[in-house]
Amino acid sequence: MTNDVFDSAGVADLVERINKLTPTTKPEWGRMSVDQMLAHCNVAYEMVYEDIHKKPGFLLSFFLKTLVKKKVVGPDPYPRNSPTAPAFKQTTPKDFAKEKARLVGFLERVQKDGVARFEGRESPSFGALTSSEWQVLFYKHLNHHLTQFGV
């Protein structure tokens, strides 16, 4: 098993885990349903590929870059029940099949775009990131939530 979202084997591992989810899969912790979790995970990719989320203002951006970035792109796993940024909150039911297909599509797109496309790429929340930081951001977040749902 590899944890590299830029590697076809790493994406295949993640897709295999995602495919183990069903509309009735229950979380081991937290309040999101499985369909909400998939939509929540899609937000990270929407911020890269779709212009549908408001960019943070100066003060919030400064806060995110100086205090949150290290936790998001650093090596330590996220603690259970960590606070969720407003853009990522999901409070209504979602279409499980649609969100699942979107997530798989985003993963395949990241892998296809590859390391070079992400080196120095601007994150709306954290500024320019290295491809290694993008890799950690994408993998760590998704792994956290797949683990939350037992896959």
Side-chain angles (χ1 to χ4, degrees):
M1 181 172 97
T2 176
N3 63 0
D4 188 346
V5 297
F6 297 122
D7 177 73
S8 59
V11 170
D13 287 342
L14 289 168
V15 170
E16 183 179 322
R17 291 170 68 192
I18 292 166
N19 284 333
K20 291 178 182 176
L21 297 168
T22 70
T24 59
T25 304
K26 301 290 183 218
E28 294 179 9
W29 73 86
R31 295 188 290 259
M32 283 190 289
S33 60
V34 67
D35 53 296
Q36 290 171 327
M37 177 274 288
L38 292 168
H40 167 89
C41 288
N42 279 325
V43 172
Y45 304 94
E46 291 168 356
M47 290 182 168
V48 171
Y49 292 115
E50 301 174 0
D51 192 22
I52 60 173
H53 297 281
K54 184 180 172 189
K55 291 181 174 45
F58 176 78
L59 287 177
L60 179 55
S61 182
F62 178 78
F63 170 76
L64 291 170
K65 288 176 186 175
T66 56
L67 297 176
V68 178
K69 178 181 173 182
K70 290 177 189 164
K71 292 178 182 167
V72 172
V73 299
D76 296 333
Y78 298 135
R80 291 181 177 193
N81 299 309
S82 298
T84 301
F88 285 79
K89 290 193 180 199
Q90 306 294 324
T91 58
T92 60
K94 305 297 179 190
D95 180 322
F96 173 83
K98 177 183 170 187
E99 297 301 333
K100 179 179 166 185
R102 288 182 71 226
L103 184 56
V104 170
F106 281 134
L107 285 168
E108 290 171 346
R109 187 170 177 186
V110 166
Q111 190 270 316
K112 182 181 173 211
D113 284 352
V115 172
R117 185 91 184 260
F118 281 88
E119 187 59 46
R121 187 175 188 147
E122 204 58 33
S123 159
S125 300
F126 307 117
L129 298 177
T130 66
S131 58
S132 295
E133 289 172 325
W134 279 109
Q135 151 53 35
V136 171
L137 181 151
F138 287 142
Y139 181 83
K140 186 164 91 169
H141 183 242
L142 184 53
N143 182 62
H144 171 79
H145 288 295
L146 292 176
T147 302
Q148 177 187 15
F149 281 82
V151 297

